[in-house]
Amino acid sequence: MNVTLHVWRQPHRAAKGRFVTYPAPDISADMSFLEMLDVVNERLILEGQEPIAFDHDCREGICGTCGMVINGTPHGPKKRTTTCQLHMRSFRDGDELWIEPWRAAAFPVVKDLVVDRSAFDRIIAVGGFISAPIGSAPDANSLPIRKENADLSMDGAACIGCGACVAACPNASAMLFVAAKVTHLGVLPQGLPERNERAIRMVTQMDAEGFGSCTNHGECHAVCPKGIPLEFIGRLNADFLAASMGSGRRAAQVGDSAGG
Ligand code: SF4
Ligand code: FES
């Protein structure tokens, strides 16, 4: 395949960025999108040019490190697919591809397609944990958990923290990300002690980092590679409201959390 790339180049955070056009001839349709960028970068290096900076790690869709906006859509045109799992066969010979970094004030550009997502780390640091007694591991199955709650928790745990939800949202809201974390921990008995403080702390930190509010556009769910459901945002709102009204802990405990 022959494709033409228009890539956002920005040497550093304070620099003014711009699109630069690169031809990408003789690309195999079986290459992943990142392998295609690797080939383009090898050619740039041979020509003495600066390679395109982009984030990646596992290249298996599990770490959340990769991410770029391809033709206006975070992670590109294929549903439920991270950038690293996208293949060139999703495009046609002769296509023009516009490649940009996540655009959000809370995710400043570091270089080219790399953004600083440490705001997510700080949100996790204030509430994305459980308190567990130290000592030997408890016996398996000593704490019964309803199947529905185990499934819900696993669905929340599927979030890889990529940030595509923020990049897609017109408000640059991080609500889907926070909702996934709050649901992952809050529906299990192990996550109950901090359930309400968790919602308050994580939402407060999200606001402090400069993410916008949720106004129910649903773009986050549409681009999420793990299909985190919008319903989780309702769960986050319920936890936040219960905690804000001062009856939160009791509401959480008598709700749907523990195993019975
Ligand atoms: S909710 Fe989805 S899009 Fe947002 S960070 Fe998690 S996996 Fe990525
Ligand atoms: S590089 Fe790990 S999810 Fe894409």
Side-chain angles (χ1 to χ4, degrees):
M1 311 171 57
N2 300 310
V3 293
T4 304
L5 310 184
H6 305 282
V7 184
W8 186 259
R9 303 302 309 261
Q10 184 172 339
H12 55 85
R13 182 173 175 167
K16 196 169 156 50
R18 68 189 175 97
F19 283 103
V20 178
T21 300
Y22 302 100
D26 302 326
I27 297 296
S28 164
D30 294 327
M31 280 180 186
S32 74
F33 196 83
L34 298 188
E35 285 168 342
M36 180 275 293
L37 286 180
D38 289 338
V39 168
V40 171
N41 272 346
E42 282 166 14
R43 292 172 184 167
L44 288 176
I45 291 167
L46 283 175
E47 291 167 5
Q49 297 189 54
E50 183 78 10
I52 300 157
F54 62 92
D55 259 336
H56 60 100
D57 191 0
C58 72
R59 298 200 178 198
E60 293 180 349
I62 54 175
C63 75
T65 307
C66 65
M68 53 192 80
V69 178
I70 304 164
N71 285 353
T73 304
H75 288 308
K78 197 145 184 261
K79 293 269 180 221
R80 304 281 178 269
T81 304
T82 54
T83 303
C84 62
Q85 292 284 285
L86 182 65
H87 285 78
M88 292 308 293
R89 53 182 169 268
S90 294
F91 303 95
R92 286 173 305 191
D93 186 36
D95 269 358
E96 306 234 347
L97 308 179
W98 294 81
I99 308 171
E100 304 170 67
W102 290 168
R103 306 280 191 191
F107 289 159
V109 171
V110 175
K111 185 177 180 182
D112 298 339
L113 305 174
V114 178
V115 298
D116 178 356
R117 281 174 287 184
S118 58
F120 270 10
D121 298 337
R122 291 187 288 275
I123 293 173
I124 293 292
V126 298
F129 54 83
I130 61 163
S131 52
I134 57 170
S136 56
D139 289 340
N141 300 325
S142 61
L143 189 55
I145 296 171
R146 285 199 309 228
K147 173 79 164 64
E148 312 89 82
N149 286 10
D151 288 348
L152 262 180
S153 180
M154 287 301 289
D155 287 348
C159 169
I160 54 175
C162 62
C165 45
V166 175
C169 177
N171 307 327
S173 173
M175 283 289 273
L176 194 66
F177 165 75
V178 174
K181 304 305 173 191
V182 161
T183 302
H184 164 208
L185 299 174
V187 297
L188 298 179
Q190 293 93 333
L192 266 182
E194 297 94 356
R195 178 166 172 176
N196 295 291
E197 289 83 357
R198 178 180 303 118
I200 296 272
R201 284 192 202 141
M202 293 181 87
V203 169
T204 303
Q205 188 66 33
M206 178 181 73
D207 290 343
E209 296 290 350
F211 294 104
S213 302
C214 174
T215 49
N216 300 317
H217 284 270
E219 298 292 331
C220 51
H221 170 69
V223 301
C224 175
K226 300 302 168 184
I228 302 296
L230 285 175
E231 178 248 334
F232 282 11
I233 294 180
R235 303 183 71 87
L236 169 61
N237 284 334
D239 275 11
F240 184 83
L241 193 61
S244 303
M245 293 174 73
S247 58
R249 183 176 298 265
R250 178 170 162 67
Q253 284 173 334
V254 299
D256 57 358
S257 297

